[in-house]
Amino acid sequence: MNNRRGCRFGATIIGIWLTVLGLLFSGAALAVSKTTTADHSKFKELQKTFASGPEVTKACLACHTEAAKQVHRTKHWTWEFLNPDSSQRLGKKNVINNFCISVASNYAFCTACHVGYGWKDDNFDFKSEANVDCLVCHDTTGKYRKLPGLAGHPAYKEMELPPGSGKIVKPVDLTQVAQKIGKTSRDTCGGCHFFSGGGDGVKHGDLDSSLTVPDHELDVHMDAAGLDFTCGTCHLTSAHDIPGSRYVPTAKDTEGRHLRGKVSKGNPATCVACHSDRPHSLKEARLNDHARKVACQTCHIPTIARGGVATKMIWDWSTSGKMDEKGKPIVKKDEKGHVIYDSKKGDFVLGENVEPEYQWFNGKVRFTLITDKVDKSAGVTPINRFDGSPDDGKSLIWPVKVFRGKQPFDPVNNTLVKPHTAGQDTTAYWTNFGWDKAITVGMASAKAPYSGKYDFIETEMRWPITHMVAPKDKALACIECHRADGRLKNIAGIYMPGRDSHGWLDLLGGGAAFFALLGVIGHGSLRIFSNRKGGK
């Protein structure tokens, strides 16, 4: 008996110890990060005070020896891209848009979104590995911020920005950020892509800060409580090169689903890469037939800017420069607090829950560059053109955001212009409100001719819509397109029941249906009559 009690006591003690050890082990397991294999705070190279971003980069490169070389080969570094289809030299460095127009002469301001340090003019050293900014993509603290006007640098000391504004910016703790680096995230990618064009949600319409922590209704893939995709989940990066380009987008993915272990040259960021080109079940085979002509995004992104952040739809630079009675710049806001007029930029029209426009698109894009002629009398000038046709076998019907604007151009040389807008110098438009000085400096920076005359011209720019994917029960219903005034009312080259009508085809179809019904009634009547007769 005593022995049994002793055994039970011993077993109890062992059980308690096992429980304690289990809890300790469990606690240790929970303490281990599941998102990275390295705790950078333990690295001696990072246990120091850093005075600048390039100093941090040098420390990073002590281990990640090839990282900067890889970054140097990407569009995120060069801001330049040679389109193999059109031979146009594109990239942020070369193109013109109808938002902030151009980066030429505005580098110190615009390069707040460059993955480097120090790009303020044409003398930037693109070969310097120390100039690569590792922190902007790998920060996990949310405290790293590059400021407009500092040529891609964060604040290294307390400073008033903009000068004279009374707004004090605190310096970034580079050591803390460096010791907490990790994978890219929606926050790091969104730091630039959510705020491109001058503010939150301005440019794309399907990318804004509401995607930082989105719910299921806003994006089924990025749903923070569900699949929780980051940008990198789809834009699967290789050697720092990120797939998915607005210069050569994949309009129709013919590579099929990407399988692990299968070598593929396709774009991993397309819908087909995961869902295949027959994404619906057998019960929904008719929808799969639609996928031959209609991009997934057309049905599954019913509206853009639906996360509570408005997107700009119109920007009129020609009305800028108005002052109040004291000669001071004006800012006007609507009832929701959106800026609808700014003396520096002109009038804006914003929108939420905006229905996209639709067009055939085969992935080929051609831009109007500074060397191309424009004609004001010919109507609206396209900043970019999307090619596509119902007959080329390469196009699908895509949703696009069409951004409309009015911007300065040279009416003598008949070219768009690149004005110098940002900065504290006396030639910057946002400082002196003089277009002639601003255009003269901007065009000189772009090494392009300027006649000394300027006017304003209407422009349009197109952006393919591919984010903010709604749940399937919120996708477009059939009636949204299959009616006379439906969303695809302007799409040519296909016959759409409910939208289109041809006299002979309608007559033939109606006749076939009538005779089929007549046959069914006749057959049924004969069967009933035969049964009754047989029964007698």
Side-chain angles (χ1 to χ4, degrees):
M1 189 72 177
N2 289 336
N3 287 339
R4 270 188 246 157
R5 284 180 180 173
C7 289
R8 283 201 294 269
F9 178 76
T12 302
I13 294 297
I14 291 172
I16 290 172
W17 271 107
L18 287 174
T19 301
V20 170
L21 288 172
L23 289 172
L24 288 173
F25 179 79
S26 175
L30 288 174
V32 173
S33 172
K34 295 180 180 179
T35 59
T36 177
T37 56
D39 180 351
H40 286 78
S41 67
K42 297 178 180 176
F43 291 2
K44 292 182 179 177
E45 290 83 354
L46 301 178
Q47 293 172 353
K48 57 183 287 189
T49 299
F50 295 102
S52 71
E55 283 190 21
V56 178
T57 299
K58 289 177 183 176
C60 298
L61 296 179
C63 296
H64 303 278
T65 57
E66 305 307 301
K69 297 183 183 70
Q70 294 176 358
V71 172
H72 281 180
R73 301 176 62 183
T74 69
K75 293 186 291 294
H76 277 91
W77 175 257
T78 62
W79 279 13
E80 196 161 53
F81 174 74
L82 181 62
N83 189 324
D85 294 327
S86 64
S87 297
Q88 284 192 307
R89 192 165 292 282
L90 306 174
K92 203 179 293 292
K93 182 180 173 184
N94 298 302
V95 298
I96 295 173
N97 62 41
N98 51 2
F99 294 88
C100 293
I101 302 180
S102 169
V103 300
S105 77
N106 301 307
Y107 286 115
F109 188 88
C110 299
T111 52
C113 275
H114 183 237
V115 290
Y117 299 112
W119 191 359
K120 61 181 180 181
D121 53 33
D122 294 339
N123 298 317
F124 179 65
D125 185 359
F126 285 95
K127 295 181 180 178
S128 168
E129 295 189 16
N131 280 351
V132 171
D133 183 354
C134 306
L135 301 181
V136 71
C137 297
H138 294 284
D139 170 42
T140 65
T141 68
K143 298 177 179 178
Y144 186 75
R145 185 183 169 212
K146 290 151 70 104
L147 301 174
L150 300 186
H153 289 279
Y156 297 135
K157 59 182 180 182
E158 193 171 274
M159 58 193 306
E160 184 184 35
L161 200 74
S165 65
K167 298 178 182 177
I168 304 299
V169 177
K170 300 288 185 183
V172 173
D173 186 338
L174 293 172
T175 301
Q176 182 190 46
V177 175
Q179 290 182 353
K180 295 293 183 181
I181 60 172
K183 290 182 177 180
T184 61
S185 65
R186 292 192 294 260
D187 292 302
T188 52
C189 299
C192 285
H193 292 284
F194 292 166
F195 295 89
S196 56
D200 193 1
V202 164
K203 187 177 282 183
H204 298 277
D206 61 340
L207 286 172
D208 62 47
S209 65
S210 66
L211 289 174
T212 303
V213 189
D215 60 18
H216 192 64
E217 295 286 309
L218 182 57
D219 192 298
V220 294
H221 301 111
M222 301 175 82
D223 173 15
L227 294 174
D228 200 21
F229 280 16
T230 66
C231 306
T233 307
C234 294
H235 294 271
L236 194 60
T237 304
S238 175
H240 283 92
D241 191 23
I242 301 170
S245 166
R246 66 185 173 95
Y247 300 121
V248 284
T250 306
K252 186 175 187 178
D253 187 349
T254 58
E255 295 293 325
R257 184 180 285 161
H258 288 212
L259 300 177
R260 284 185 293 177
K262 178 184 175 184
V263 176
S264 174
K265 295 181 180 179
N267 180 356
T270 68
C271 303
V272 170
C274 288
H275 296 284
S276 85
D277 57 358
R278 307 285 289 175
H280 303 97
S281 68
L282 290 177
K283 293 180 180 178
E284 301 168 319
R286 190 61 186 155
L287 294 178
N288 284 331
D289 293 340
H290 281 65
R292 296 191 178 98
K293 295 289 184 182
V294 181
C296 303
Q297 292 87 337
T298 294
C299 296
H300 290 275
I301 307 177
T303 61
I304 59 175
R306 65 172 188 276
V309 178
T311 187
K312 277 193 176 70
M313 301 302 297
I314 297 175
W315 185 330
D316 184 356
W317 281 94
S318 71
T319 61
S320 64
K322 297 176 183 174
M323 301 292 165
D324 64 13
E325 62 280 3
K326 297 180 180 177
K328 299 293 184 183
I330 304 166
V331 173
K332 295 180 181 176
K333 298 182 179 180
D334 64 14
E335 66 280 1
K336 292 184 176 180
H338 303 136
V339 175
I340 55 175
Y341 180 80
D342 186 330
S343 296
K344 294 180 176 179
K345 302 176 181 178
D347 281 295
F348 304 129
V349 174
L350 297 96
E352 292 186 57
N353 292 307
V354 179
E355 287 187 9
E357 298 182 34
Y358 301 91
Q359 70 169 95
W360 291 103
F361 184 36
N362 61 16
K364 295 185 182 299
V365 185
R366 188 172 185 85
F367 279 76
T368 300
L369 300 176
I370 195 74
T371 52
D372 295 322
K373 296 296 181 183
V374 299
D375 182 0
K376 185 175 181 178
S377 64
V380 178
T381 296
I383 293 290
N384 58 356
R385 298 174 177 85
F386 285 8
D387 288 348
S389 161
D391 305 318
D392 64 6
K394 301 176 181 177
S395 299
L396 296 176
I397 300 169
W398 266 78
V400 296
K401 173 184 173 179
V402 181
F403 185 71
R404 297 179 168 88
K406 191 178 286 187
Q407 62 194 93
F409 85 112
D410 185 332
V412 177
N413 290 323
N414 288 315
T415 61
L416 298 175
V417 296
K418 296 184 174 184
H420 176 45
T421 51
Q424 300 302 314
D425 61 277
T426 58
T427 62
Y429 184 77
W430 292 347
T431 302
N432 69 20
F433 298 95
W435 278 114
D436 188 50
K437 284 185 178 179
I439 296 171
T440 299
V441 172
M443 293 297 274
S445 175
K447 298 179 175 58
Y450 170 50
S451 70
K453 303 288 185 183
Y454 70 89
D455 193 2
F456 292 88
I457 191 169
E458 289 186 59
T459 56
E460 284 184 356
M461 189 168 191
R462 293 168 187 274
W463 298 84
I465 297 303
T466 196
H467 304 98
M468 293 188 178
V469 178
K472 62 181 181 180
D473 61 323
K474 301 294 184 183
L476 292 188
C478 305
I479 194 63
E480 292 279 352
C481 299
H482 290 278
R483 66 178 194 232
D485 61 344
R487 294 193 182 212
L488 302 186
K489 60 185 177 184
N490 295 322
I491 295 296
I494 53 171
Y495 179 82
M496 289 183 59
R499 185 196 71 168
D500 302 318
S501 175
H502 293 301
W504 64 269
L505 189 60
D506 293 344
L507 183 63
L508 186 65
F514 173 75
F515 285 113
L517 177 63
L518 196 63
V520 170
I521 294 174
H523 179 76
S525 300
L526 286 173
R527 291 290 299 270
I528 294 171
F529 177 75
S530 299
N531 286 339
R532 287 181 177 175
K533 189 175 181 180
K536 289 178 180 179

